[in-house]
Structure formats: C-alpha cells, structure tokens
Amino acid sequence: MATDYYAVLGVPRDASQDQIKKAFRRLARELHPDVNPDPKTQERFKEINAAYEVLSDPQKKQVYDLGGDPMSGAGGGGAGGFGGGFGNFSDIMDAFFGTASQRGPRSRTRRGQDAMIRLDVELSEAAFGTTKDIQVDTAVVCTTCSGEGAAPGTSAQTCDMCRGRGEVSQVTRSFLGQVMTSRPCPQCQGFGTVVPTPCPECAGDGRIRSRRTLTVKIPAGVDNGTRIQLAGEGEVGPGGGPAGDLYVEIHEVPHPVFQRRGDDMHCTVTIPMTAASLGTKVPLETLDGMEEVDIRPGTQSGQSIPLHQRGVTHLRGGGRGDLIVHVEVTTPTKLDPEQEELLRRLSKLRGEERPIGEFKPGQQGLFSRLKDAFNGR
C-alpha cells in the first residue's frame, strides 16, 4: 500500500506549498535524530523527510497525485537509509535556524553601477558657484527592445531545462544518506527564461552605450575632491534596470595669482623700498574686481594685509574667507652715483652711517646694507 505523504505531514491534500513547508519544519524540529535519538523517532523522521521531498517538488507532487511513483525517475532513491532523499538540505537548516532559502529564478533586471567623472573648474567658479554642461558616456536603456533584450516581435521563453525554476536539482550521497542539492540552471543561468532571438542592437543585454549632455549645478565653496551626486544618472542596469548614481568630482585649476588655503586666498605684491618707507596704494585685480591695497609707511617685507570677505564663499553657512596680501619689499641692487649720493645723505640725516668696523651687532646702517646688496654680499 502506498504511503499517504499528506497524512505523514498532517496536511490536507489541497495544502499550499507554504502549509507543507511549515508542517515539515515543525515535525523536523521535533523528530530530528540530534534532538530525539529514539530509533522509532528516527524512522518517523525518515518518513516526513521522504514526504516533504515529494510534496515540495511540483513535478514529483503532480506524479504522486496522479497515482504514479514520484521516486522512480532521475533523482529518486526512495526513503531507504538515514535521511533518504532530503527534499532540500537548506530546508533542514531552515527548520532549525529559521533562515529562508532564496529559491526560484532570478530577475534579469538589476540596478546599474555608479559612475564618476572629473570636472575642472576655475577658482572664481569654485568661489561663487556656477552651472556647467558636461558630457557623460554611460549605459542607457536600449531603444530598440526597451530593455527587454529580445528582438522586436519576439519575447523571452520559459527555459525547457529547468521549466522556469531557474535551478536544477541533483542527488548526491553523503554520510547523511542521499542529499538533494540545487544549482543555477546552466541553460538559462538561473533566470528561468531564455531569449531565442536577442535584440540586434544590445545583443540581449537591454542597454547600450550612449553619450549625453547633463547640466550640473556647482555650489559656491566647492574644493578639490568635492563630489556632487546626481541620483539616477549613472549606468543603467542589465535588463533595463534602474540606473545607478553619477558622481562629479571637482578639480580646481591652479590660479596664476591666488593660492587657495581652505576658504582663504593668498597672493604676493612686490613694492620698492621707497614705497614701503613712504607708503602707497597698490592696485590689485581680485575676484570681485579692482581693489586698492593700502601700504602704510614703514611696511616691512613679509608683512601681510588682510582684505576681509574677499575669499571663497563658505560651502556650508554664509560669509566668505579673506584675501591675504603678502608684501615683498625689494632693495635696489644697482645705483648710479646720484642715487648713491642721495642715499648716503639720507643715511647721515638718520644717523645710520658710520665707518665700517664701528658698528655693533645688529646696528648696520641703511647705506651699508644697500652697499652690501650692491656688492652681492
């Protein structure tokens, strides 16, 4: 007399796959040999395992419901031996650890990868922000097949090897007995469907390479390495899947006059010794237009003059950095006789000129300093 597998699992003949799986898990936790070593219990465990192997497989279940022998074909082996013919080893693990096995065909549609390009910007563009058009070369949805991958007028068909399951089963012997394992179908690569006539434009991938123009808004205050994210503008995924993101990495082009340090800018102005002594105003072309830098009398070489709020806009929060003007004072290296006489008289008026050799350390006069510069010392 044939075994009533539905009665073994305690489920009605019209039970769903979910009901069958739940019943098997409950009984497996109670009757597994590691939990209950009673020999009678082990025989009972073999029965529920054999029942689940048949009822969890749609093909075997159909043969069984029609009165045939579901274990007579390939992959059979009956319920003989310990654990004879596990329905799926992952279901045993699932019964104890509650991990859901991912079964069934995988989707042809997947999310695309992120992409990144580098964009050169001028200092003024980084300081105040701008809008730029960029060209990107990424994968886009194939316009011929709309991402389906099949040639126009055709469509994907159910795989005849796995019959749409995306996986094939194989029975192997181990110390546990006969164990049924599953692997992706080699004919459809686990998709459950095949494309007999691929799209000639994308070769069945559902996407093609294309160059397009995008408009990017560059916020004020960006710096080298700043990345701007453009959601959904990256690579379209296989099968016409959703696109990844595009990241625009900022590269600031060096400026011929200003050097940027954070949100502050620095530059150097060179003035003659007389201008530093008497004071002057030096015109300077800044990012905001022409400015006059006030050089006060007696300014020394190496001093800095800040121009507030003339730097780069803060990326987060209001306000701007400063423009720091560094002053470099030059000393004349060649003097004609008249210039030398004028400087000699000035040195005497200031009490700085003394015969060489009479100076104390740190007391060298103006004219002698000029003479040393002239002689290259």
Side-chain angles (χ1 to χ4, degrees):
M1 182 176 179
T3 304
D4 186 349
Y5 290 140
Y6 291 99
V8 170
L9 294 181
V11 295
R13 298 190 69 84
D14 59 350
S16 64
Q17 285 295 320
D18 187 55
Q19 290 175 311
I20 292 173
K21 179 176 288 189
K22 288 181 179 178
F24 170 73
R25 291 178 183 174
R26 176 178 53 81
L27 292 172
R29 285 193 290 266
E30 295 176 2
L31 305 174
H32 194 278
D34 291 341
V35 178
N36 194 334
D38 185 358
K40 293 184 179 180
T41 301
Q42 294 184 22
E43 291 299 323
R44 173 75 172 134
F45 179 74
K46 295 176 184 178
E47 292 179 0
I48 67 164
N49 185 61
Y52 182 69
E53 179 185 356
V54 172
L55 299 183
S56 64
D57 187 312
Q59 296 178 5
K60 293 181 180 180
K61 182 176 181 295
Q62 183 179 16
V63 172
Y64 176 74
D65 289 342
L66 293 175
D69 183 4
M71 308 301 290
S72 61
F82 174 74
F86 280 23
N88 191 311
F89 189 71
S90 62
D91 292 316
I92 297 291
M93 301 301 292
D94 193 16
F96 283 91
F97 302 106
T99 57
S101 58
Q102 296 182 354
R103 305 175 63 179
R106 59 191 180 100
S107 175
R108 289 184 178 272
T109 302
R110 301 192 301 277
R111 182 184 185 274
Q113 294 183 343
D114 295 337
M116 187 178 72
I117 64 171
R118 195 174 81 161
L119 179 62
D120 291 339
V121 298
E122 301 292 338
L123 176 59
S124 59
E125 295 173 330
F128 302 122
T130 187
T131 300
K132 280 183 169 287
D133 290 336
I134 59 173
Q135 286 190 334
V136 293
D137 186 3
T138 60
V140 298
V141 175
C142 176
T143 54
T144 301
C145 66
S146 301
E148 296 295 330
T154 67
S155 61
Q157 298 180 4
T158 301
C159 176
D160 57 7
M161 178 175 286
C162 65
R163 301 193 180 185
R165 296 173 58 193
E167 60 183 14
V168 292
S169 300
Q170 180 180 8
V171 174
T172 57
R173 291 184 176 276
S174 71
F175 69 95
L176 295 174
Q178 291 183 342
V179 179
M180 180 177 289
T181 59
S182 297
R183 59 186 178 89
C185 174
Q187 179 166 293
C188 66
Q189 287 76 51
F191 294 120
T193 59
V194 294
V195 182
T197 310
C199 171
E201 184 70 21
C202 66
D205 191 42
R207 54 183 182 169
I208 56 175
R209 306 295 300 185
S210 177
R211 177 167 294 182
R212 52 205 172 99
T213 301
L214 298 175
T215 300
V216 183
K217 183 178 180 182
I218 310 298
V222 295
D223 202 349
N224 268 323
T226 300
R227 291 185 179 180
I228 301 172
Q229 180 182 11
L230 302 180
E233 297 292 352
E235 301 276 351
V236 166
D245 298 334
L246 174 66
Y247 291 88
V248 180
E249 186 175 85
I250 299 299
H251 176 255
E252 188 179 295
V253 178
H255 194 274
V257 176
F258 303 113
Q259 298 82 44
R260 179 176 175 180
R261 300 175 192 169
D263 290 341
D264 291 336
M265 298 191 309
H266 297 254
C267 71
T268 300
V269 295
T270 303
I271 61 175
M273 178 190 66
T274 52
S277 300
L278 301 174
T280 186
K281 291 184 180 295
V282 178
L284 177 65
E285 184 68 38
T286 71
L287 298 182
D288 298 270
M290 189 63 69
E291 299 266 353
E292 283 194 341
V293 182
D294 186 15
I295 307 296
R296 297 184 178 180
T299 297
Q300 302 296 306
S301 187
Q303 282 189 266
S304 58
I305 302 171
L307 300 181
H308 300 294
Q309 296 292 313
R310 293 295 185 272
V312 177
T313 304
H314 299 314
L315 182 60
R316 294 176 178 83
R320 296 169 59 183
D322 299 331
L323 172 59
I324 312 299
V325 181
H326 300 272
V327 179
E328 183 180 86
V329 179
T330 60
T331 301
T333 57
K334 292 184 179 181
L335 299 172
D336 59 32
E338 183 179 1
Q339 293 172 336
E340 185 174 341
E341 179 61 28
L342 288 173
L343 288 177
R344 190 186 299 275
R345 291 170 58 188
L346 175 62
S347 180
K348 285 183 177 182
L349 290 173
R350 294 176 56 85
E352 295 177 335
E353 182 61 26
R354 291 181 175 85
I356 298 177
E358 294 186 7
F359 287 101
K360 295 180 181 179
Q363 203 177 32
Q364 189 177 15
L366 171 64
F367 179 71
S368 296
R369 290 200 301 270
L370 292 176
K371 192 172 183 180
D372 287 344
F374 176 74
N375 293 327
R377 289 184 294 186

